[in-house]
Amino acid sequence: MQTVGPSGKNRFYNVPATKFLIVSTGALSLLASIFDLKQYFHLQLTPHITIHYQLWRLLTSHIAFSSSGDFLFGSIILYTLRVIERQYGTSKYTAFLFMTFIFSTILELVALIAGEKIGLKSIPGGPYALMFSALYQYHRIIPVTYRFRIFGLVMTDKLFLYVLASQLAFSRSLQTLVPALCGWLVGALYRTDVGNIKQWRFPKFMQSVANQFIKPLFTSSPNPRSSATLPIQRPIITSLSSVNNILANGLANGNDTTTTNTNRPDIRTSLTSERSSSVREYLDTITGRDVVGSELEPPSPEYTRVLMTMFPDHPQETITRALSSAHNELNRAVEIMLSTPSPAGESSSRSS
């Protein structure tokens, strides 16, 4: 299952509404099981609503699970859907949950009235509609992280969450499938933004009261900074002069290590300067940088014609620059030209 959000011990950072929903649902489900109060959390028209007028069941049917298995899978789904709160923000997410509660309750009552003929008499307690409404948002706005194949079928990382949701929706046949479908429809309705329902928020005074008294109880601090030792930061090469300095220092260090037993420092110094100057000239030739103020000999016309015959794909400027860098040494100029990429080869590779 895909993991969304900051890693570490504290995964409820910046999701107080999700934390409140999971904690309150778990506590009420546990209390209902301990004190044998599960019969007060399901929704049924007759006789609870139509005869005894127990309208409080419209609220209690969404706040506690009547089965420990449903609570386990529901908690996993709610925990995974915390990414929706991070996308929406706590203010919008709580408004979304409230509107889902209102519209899904109306749809469930309609379903109970219409489904009486097919044997639908009650709906078990649990936030099924809230979960599946948020699941629809997850389906629409959260992208796929990776794909894989099973027996030739292409599947995504969202499959694991969908399997859990399907098991929860079909756990009690129509009794759990109906609230799941109601929540899914409300989620689709919310996405259409009919009547600007996405713009609705709780009044300011209610938000201030919640931020002052409720939110501090469920706010989680961010993960502490790691005290582990960081890797050594390597220098970033930003110019060709840095390359020249690094190569010169590297050559000097290499010569020092290979001639530690030698008592001739003058030869070691001259060899290092000669190699560093050769490398610098080679880089100037490859990159096409003009060496200002350098005492380069003018190219020989005879060697220029020879190199143009050997390297017909190269322009004359490249050949003359190679001869100048090689101090009119034909063999060295040939080596430089062999290391220089051909413009015709680059254009042919691009066209292919």
Side-chain angles (χ1 to χ4, degrees):
M1 187 182 300
Q2 76 178 178
T3 57
V4 186
S7 60
K9 296 181 179 179
N10 192 355
R11 294 179 179 267
F12 283 104
Y13 174 64
N14 207 22
V15 286
T18 301
K19 186 176 182 180
F20 170 77
L21 188 60
I22 294 177
V23 172
S24 61
T25 302
L28 291 174
S29 301
L30 181 62
L31 292 176
S33 178
I34 293 176
F35 295 102
D36 196 15
L37 300 175
K38 294 182 180 180
Q39 65 275 13
Y40 295 102
F41 290 93
H42 68 276
L43 182 61
Q44 186 174 349
L45 287 179
T46 305
H48 299 150
I49 303 297
T50 57
I51 298 178
H52 301 298
Y53 301 105
Q54 297 177 353
L55 299 180
W56 46 266
R57 287 181 178 271
L58 300 176
L59 173 62
T60 58
S61 61
H62 293 278
I63 62 176
F65 287 99
S66 58
S67 172
S68 58
D70 291 350
F71 167 68
L72 175 62
F73 290 114
S75 300
I76 297 174
I77 294 174
L78 288 174
Y79 175 75
T80 307
L81 293 177
R82 72 195 188 279
V83 64
I84 305 300
E85 184 177 357
R86 291 198 177 105
Q87 292 284 338
Y88 282 176
T90 302
S91 178
K92 182 179 179 179
Y93 189 66
T94 51
F96 160 73
L97 293 178
F98 180 77
M99 299 190 71
T100 300
F101 163 74
I102 297 296
F103 289 110
S104 63
T105 302
I106 297 174
L107 291 179
E108 288 176 1
L109 290 175
V110 174
L112 286 175
I113 296 173
E116 187 176 0
K117 298 180 180 179
I118 59 176
L120 180 62
K121 297 181 179 179
S122 64
I123 292 178
Y128 298 97
L130 301 181
M131 286 187 297
F132 280 85
S133 181
L135 184 64
Y136 184 85
Q137 314 305 315
Y138 176 87
H139 171 69
R140 290 296 302 272
I141 67 177
I142 302 301
V144 174
T145 304
Y146 60 88
R147 292 178 171 85
F148 59 94
R149 289 179 177 270
I150 297 181
F151 301 111
L153 300 177
V154 180
M155 302 181 183
T156 67
D157 57 311
K158 293 184 177 182
L159 175 67
F160 305 103
L161 182 62
Y162 294 155
V163 169
L164 287 178
S166 301
Q167 195 280 334
L168 192 63
F170 291 96
S171 60
R172 298 190 186 183
S173 186
L174 284 177
Q175 291 184 345
T176 52
L177 182 61
V178 167
L181 291 177
C182 291
W184 190 268
L185 291 175
V186 173
L189 179 66
Y190 187 83
R191 289 291 300 175
T192 58
D193 198 16
V194 177
N196 289 331
I197 56 177
K198 287 185 178 181
Q199 310 302 323
W200 184 86
R201 300 290 186 275
F202 283 100
K204 293 294 183 180
F205 75 93
M206 296 183 64
Q207 294 185 27
S208 61
V209 171
N211 291 333
Q212 185 175 0
F213 297 102
I214 300 178
K215 188 176 180 179
L217 300 176
F218 298 94
T219 300
S220 300
S221 58
N223 295 319
R225 293 183 178 271
S226 175
S227 58
T229 303
L230 297 178
I232 300 175
Q233 297 295 329
R234 299 295 182 183
I236 300 176
I237 300 174
T238 57
S239 62
L240 192 60
S241 60
S242 302
V243 177
N244 296 337
N245 295 333
I246 293 174
L247 290 175
N249 294 333
L251 289 172
N253 294 334
N255 291 324
D256 289 341
T257 56
T258 55
T259 58
T260 53
N261 297 328
T262 304
N263 296 324
R264 303 175 66 183
D266 52 344
I267 297 178
R268 189 166 61 248
T269 305
S270 60
L271 183 60
T272 301
S273 60
E274 181 181 355
R275 289 187 179 181
S276 61
S277 61
S278 301
V279 171
R280 187 176 295 105
E281 292 176 1
Y282 175 74
L283 290 175
D284 294 339
T285 303
I286 295 300
T287 57
R289 186 181 65 172
D290 294 332
V291 183
V292 181
S294 60
E295 298 178 355
L296 298 180
E297 299 179 5
S300 172
E302 181 181 359
Y303 290 164
T304 302
R305 289 193 297 270
V306 172
L307 291 177
M308 290 182 65
T309 304
M310 297 176 62
F311 303 96
D313 296 334
H314 289 269
Q316 186 176 358
E317 298 177 357
T318 305
I319 294 175
T320 55
R321 188 182 298 113
L323 278 172
S324 299
S325 301
H327 301 286
N328 278 329
E329 294 182 10
L330 183 60
N331 294 332
R332 188 174 179 183
V334 170
E335 293 178 0
I336 294 175
M337 292 302 300
L338 289 175
S339 303
T340 304
S342 174
E346 293 181 358
S347 61
S348 62
S349 62
R350 291 177 182 175
S351 62
S352 62

